[in-house]
Amino acid sequence: MTVREDRLCRADGSPGLYGVVDKPDFALIVPCGRGGYHLVEQYCYPVSGRYWEFPQGARPREDAPHLPEGNGGSGVREAGRDVPADVVAVARAELREETGLSAASLTWLGRIRAAHGYSSQRCHVFLAEGLTRHAPRREATEADMAQCWVDAGTLDRMIADGRFVDATSLAALTLLRGRPRGGDRVDEDG
């Protein structure tokens, strides 16, 4: 992660200063099965609290400095655009690390900006289905992570009462609920 300040000239000609956070792009995975969702909960240092969210993460900058825009030829196709293979690999790795789940298939739901008002970071969102349970492979920073399965009604109540507030998870749920049924798979594990 880097933080920079850019001096700029505003539209009205006045000088300005803009702070920007550059972080690697990340993948968020919505693991669905048995009519519900698998969630993870962990302590979030910047806001001093524990919060539920969908599994998500990125490879360290030296491994994946910036996940591709989706117009290169090395990945798979979804909705007329390429989804790079390394994006799919990050999604599979994060799902396994945080939950211990592997998915028989991933469907790319879209790409969102995590905080476009101050960061260049993007989030690639996947639906994971056909889940198989294994032991999680959590990193040291995830040692306190908890996980649970909730049905759709319970998740809606968690949103309403402020227990599920992660912005990218909420945006991912919106992408999922708004997609046409029977979308194309981007990756079949097998």
Side-chain angles (χ1 to χ4, degrees):
M1 174 178 74
T2 61
V3 179
R4 68 176 199 270
E5 288 186 337
D6 294 343
R7 296 194 183 283
L8 53 93
C9 182
R10 295 187 181 102
D12 68 359
S14 64
L17 183 66
Y18 210 97
V20 179
V21 176
D22 288 313
K23 289 184 73 173
D25 293 351
F26 66 104
L28 181 145
I29 309 90
V30 182
C32 289
R34 302 183 343 242
Y37 308 95
H38 292 268
L39 309 177
V40 295
E41 181 202 49
Q42 64 183 323
Y43 181 77
C44 299
Y45 178 82
V47 292
S48 302
R50 295 186 65 82
Y51 294 94
W52 289 100
E53 61 191 27
F54 290 123
Q56 55 193 284
R59 300 283 53 99
R61 185 166 287 280
E62 59 273 6
D63 292 344
H66 200 67
L67 293 179
E69 218 17 86
N71 54 12
S74 64
V76 290
R77 300 281 294 169
E78 168 67 20
R81 72 177 348 139
D82 290 320
V83 180
D86 56 347
V87 174
V88 175
V90 167
R92 284 197 175 283
E94 289 299 327
L95 178 64
R96 181 70 185 264
E97 285 174 13
E98 294 188 4
T99 66
L101 297 170
S102 61
S105 65
L106 291 176
T107 302
W108 188 74
L109 298 177
R111 186 178 59 238
I112 58 176
R113 291 284 181 179
H116 67 272
Y118 65 85
S119 179
S120 62
Q121 188 176 44
R122 297 172 301 188
C123 173
H124 296 267
V125 180
F126 293 89
L127 169 64
E129 297 177 291
L131 304 172
T132 302
R133 184 169 300 284
H134 310 276
R137 297 177 180 164
R138 296 186 179 129
E139 299 169 355
T141 59
E142 299 165 338
D144 69 334
M145 187 174 277
Q147 70 184 85
C148 73
W149 174 90
V150 296
D151 62 41
T154 299
L155 182 57
D156 288 341
R157 286 189 295 282
M158 291 173 74
I159 293 167
D161 68 19
R163 290 181 290 147
F164 190 85
V165 296
D166 177 63
T168 52
S169 293
L170 292 167
L173 190 60
T174 300
L175 285 173
L176 175 64
R177 290 180 174 174
R179 79 180 177 101
R181 297 293 178 217
D184 295 332
R185 304 286 191 246
V186 296
D187 184 48
E188 297 288 336
D189 188 27

